[in-house]
Amino acid sequence: MLGRLNHIAIAVPDLEAATALYRDTLGAKVSAPQALAEHGVTVVFVSLPNTKVELLAPLGEASPIAAFLERNPAGGIHHICYEVADILAVRDRLRAEGKRVLGDGEPKIGAHGKPVLFLHPKDFGGTLVELEQA
Ligand code: CO
């Protein structure tokens, strides 16, 4: 059911500082910032040979990562994203197993222009899981 690791997301309080850290200190390739109003975050992607790291900063008043950053003021690992071939089939199978899908359960379009869903951390080993249809 699970495909490749698409990215690991790190919430950061200061996207410019985090970009400089990855680009200048660590020497990685970092994308331009992308504002995702529907998700309440601004993201940049750090490209690695085998996967990506997504750096997330809050966007707007009701950002879903605001509370996370209150609990973790220096930032921290926020979620992990796995690729799936058929996101609706995976969602229905997980729901049938009693697993919780966040929001209204309808996929939203994520940072890569592809449908994404988030799964409840309490049902997945204490980790917020994002599924992306690849
Ligand atoms: Co993500």
Side-chain angles (χ1 to χ4, degrees):
M1 187 154 74
L2 287 186
R4 291 158 53 97
L5 172 65
N6 185 277
H7 61 268
I8 293 166
I10 300 174
V12 300
D14 181 337
L15 197 56
E16 271 182 45
T19 295
L21 177 68
Y22 274 84
R23 185 190 56 213
D24 305 332
T25 307
L26 296 172
K29 191 172 159 226
V30 181
S31 75
Q34 195 179 342
L36 300 176
E38 198 189 353
H39 296 274
V41 293
T42 302
V43 304
V44 301
F45 281 97
V46 180
S47 300
L48 304 176
N50 62 340
T51 189
K52 294 182 282 287
V53 172
E54 179 182 78
L55 303 175
L56 299 170
L59 174 66
E61 296 296 307
S63 175
I65 67 167
F68 180 91
L69 283 169
E70 265 171 42
R71 292 192 303 274
N72 305 278
I77 293 181
H78 183 262
H79 66 266
I80 183 162
C81 177
Y82 301 113
E83 296 179 1
V84 295
D86 182 343
I87 199 166
L88 294 178
V90 171
R91 176 197 66 188
D92 292 347
R93 178 170 157 179
L94 292 172
R95 275 183 166 165
E97 304 255 345
K99 306 302 185 197
R100 287 167 283 183
V101 178
L102 299 188
D104 63 5
E106 293 308 314
K108 289 183 181 175
I109 297 304
H112 308 109
K114 294 177 177 170
V116 301
L117 280 174
F118 286 89
L119 308 177
H120 200 297
K122 288 196 172 141
D123 295 339
F124 293 92
T127 303
L128 178 61
V129 172
E130 178 179 18
L131 299 176
E132 179 176 299
Q133 184 163 290

